[in-house]
Amino acid sequence: LFQQKFVNQIKNVIFPSLSKLQDNNEELINSYVNIVRFISMAAFPALIGLFVLAYPTVDILWGDKWHPIADPLKILCIPAMISCLVKPVQSVFLCKHRPDLPFKLSIARLVVTFIAVITLGYLFELIGVAYGMLLSSLVGFLNIYFALKLTRQKITGLIKALIPSIMASAIMGISVYIIYTTLNKYHSEYISFVSSMTTGIIVYVLIYICFFN
């Protein structure tokens, strides 16, 4: 759902913009990196927050009888973060007139997904399916590798672009976890959830204001 409502919509919008830069490899990758930077600013803290607050989120939305889905939900936050990097890069292939590359990689991912999900799901049930999806999402990094190779660019720009979101989200996640576990000892789950989530947003924004341009 996250991928359909957020990442895919952005991917559909950015292609017309990137197509204007198809003859300039450096600017093309720089534009992709800038797009990923802004996507990660919004998506990473939301997904880290969901990872940390998976159990209270499930309790509040569906009730404690749905507890078994909390751990798979946490695992699936990681593929969702990976998709934030992989989906936009597919526009680079289109700009360079190589739509065949993501198609071939999607076939490879489909094979990995089938094997991983069937095997791990059989062995570990629902949580095994989640781990299977995580393993299949790692194949997506090949899209980034081939896009950089196709444009003869380095990955350092992408890494630098992601550092602020990763650091701020990690600190926010730790803060949310500490606040929630502390408040949950003395207050209701709903109050602890809302308070920790609100504090996490404030912490995240303050980190960006204080430490990043």
Side-chain angles (χ1 to χ4, degrees):
L1 180 61
F2 174 84
Q3 181 173 307
Q4 292 176 348
K5 298 296 184 182
F6 184 69
V7 180
N8 283 350
Q9 297 304 317
I10 293 176
K11 182 192 72 172
N12 294 334
V13 170
I14 65 175
F15 173 65
S17 300
L18 292 183
S19 62
K20 301 175 183 178
L21 305 171
Q22 58 185 332
D23 296 324
N24 189 326
N25 289 338
E26 184 176 357
E27 287 300 320
L28 180 61
I29 293 300
N30 286 341
S31 296
Y32 157 72
V33 167
N34 285 328
I35 291 165
V36 168
R37 175 186 288 115
F38 287 108
I39 293 176
S40 66
M41 285 175 62
F44 282 17
L47 292 167
I48 291 296
L50 179 59
F51 180 90
V52 174
L53 297 175
Y55 278 97
T57 299
V58 170
D59 284 345
I60 292 171
L61 292 180
W62 301 296
D64 56 7
K65 65 180 180 180
W66 287 91
H67 258 189
I69 73 168
D71 284 331
L73 180 63
K74 293 171 67 174
I75 296 169
L76 291 175
C77 287
I78 302 175
M81 294 176 70
I82 294 174
S83 72
C84 294
L85 312 181
V86 174
K87 288 294 181 179
V89 84
Q90 293 180 1
S91 296
V92 174
F93 293 114
L94 298 179
C95 291
K96 302 305 292 184
H97 308 293
R98 290 301 307 272
D100 60 301
L101 286 175
F103 174 74
K104 293 174 182 176
L105 291 171
S106 68
I107 296 298
R109 180 174 179 177
L110 179 62
V111 173
V112 173
T113 302
F114 180 79
I115 296 174
V117 169
I118 293 296
T119 304
L120 295 177
Y122 176 78
L123 293 174
F124 305 107
E125 299 181 341
L126 185 59
I127 197 167
V129 173
Y131 276 118
M133 295 301 297
L134 173 58
L135 288 176
S136 71
S137 70
L138 298 178
V139 179
F141 281 119
L142 291 175
N143 286 270
I144 299 175
Y145 169 79
F146 284 111
L148 294 173
K149 185 176 180 180
L150 184 63
T151 55
R152 299 178 182 177
Q153 302 298 308
K154 297 181 179 180
I155 199 172
T156 52
L158 177 61
I159 295 174
K160 290 179 181 179
L162 293 175
I163 286 175
S165 297
I166 293 173
M167 290 183 61
S169 298
I171 296 172
M172 180 215 71
I174 294 171
S175 303
V176 167
Y177 175 78
I178 293 173
I179 293 169
Y180 176 79
T181 53
T182 302
L183 291 178
N184 200 38
K185 297 177 182 178
Y186 309 102
H187 301 283
S188 68
E189 187 173 55
Y190 181 79
I191 292 176
S192 303
F193 176 81
V194 174
S195 299
S196 59
M197 184 172 62
T198 304
T199 305
I201 294 172
I202 295 172
V203 168
Y204 184 77
V205 172
L206 287 177
I207 291 172
Y208 253 98
I209 292 175
C210 295
F211 298 103
F212 302 109
N213 185 352

